[in-house]
Amino acid sequence: MAVVATAGWAAALAYPAASLLALANGANDICNSVGTAVGAGALTMRQALVLGCIAEAIGAVTIGPFVAQSIASGQIHVAAFAGSPRTFVLLMLSSLLGAGISTLLATLYGAPISATHGIVSGIVTVALLSGTHGALDLGGIGFTLLGWAASPLAGLAAGFAVSLLVHRLVLGTRSPAAAAAKRQPLFLALIASLSFLFLLLKGPVFLRRRVAGRPLLALGAALAGG
């Protein structure tokens, strides 16, 4: 009966907490996704909102469960809470509410924020404060911190390379407008190929299984798809 009661009030609180985080994260992420397109005049605000909502919904349904599993199981040992399910429920609810409120407030006030950083930091903090022995997955936390440190550097390098490519192939030519129109399919194909490659390597299980251990196959499929 205790487990059933816990599940009942947990679900009653978890749905609004998760909805708050989804709203805050979606509002924050859509700006990152379409802000450049709106600023450049390629999309109107209405078009950006419609396309962004559709893309956010599709991404949450198809990729979201795998991201959530990685976040939840990569920072703490869930088995450590087997004897205290109420503590685990409170841990997750606190993380949801904290990340949702902080992300929403930061988005409203225009402050830089990352919902992923917020939820991971929240889970680690409340797990540490719970005093549950063996709750923290130090290896998983270290891997996450490494990714947080490496991803900006990788993004910097990729952005610099793309900037040089655009300058050489478009901006540095005698007629940038004509060069842009001519090479637009190349850049679109490159973006599509990278997106396909990401889905093959990090997407749903049924896609990852098809290319597991075969990186050249994944690369070829991504290039063909692009």
Side-chain angles (χ1 to χ4, degrees), residues 76-85 87-88 91 127 130-137:
I76 59 175
H77 294 294
V78 179
F81 297 92
S84 53
T87 301
F88 183 73
L91 184 154
S130 71
T132 304
H133 179 70
L136 295 181
D137 183 353

Side-chain angles (χ1 to χ4, degrees), residues 10-65:
L13 294 175
Y15 281 119
S19 298
L20 174 64
L21 179 57
L23 174 65
N25 191 33
N28 185 267
D29 280 354
I30 194 174
C31 299
N32 300 330
S33 303
V34 300
T36 305
V38 174
L43 291 174
T44 65
M45 182 65 73
R46 183 182 297 273
Q47 291 172 334
L49 288 174
V50 172
L51 292 175
C53 288
I54 294 174
E56 289 279 348
I58 293 175
V61 172
T62 57
I63 309 297

Side-chain angles (χ1 to χ4, degrees), residues 61-163:
V61 172
T62 57
I63 309 297
F66 307 103
V67 177
Q69 182 179 6
S70 298
I71 292 177
S73 61
Q75 318 306 319
I76 59 175
H77 294 294
V78 179
F81 297 92
S84 53
R86 289 177 180 268
T87 301
F88 183 73
V89 170
L90 288 173
L91 184 154
M92 289 301 175
L93 283 176
S94 300
S95 302
L96 279 175
L97 287 172
I101 293 172
S102 61
T103 303
L104 184 60
L105 290 177
T107 302
L108 288 174
Y109 287 100
I113 189 68
S114 169
T116 304
H117 288 61
I119 193 69
V120 170
S121 301
I123 290 175
V124 172
T125 301
V126 293
L128 184 62
L129 293 177
S130 71
T132 304
H133 179 70
L136 295 181
D137 183 353
L138 298 181
I141 295 173
F143 187 77
T144 299
L145 293 177
L146 178 62
W148 285 355
S151 56
L153 297 178
L156 175 64
F160 181 71
V162 171
S163 178

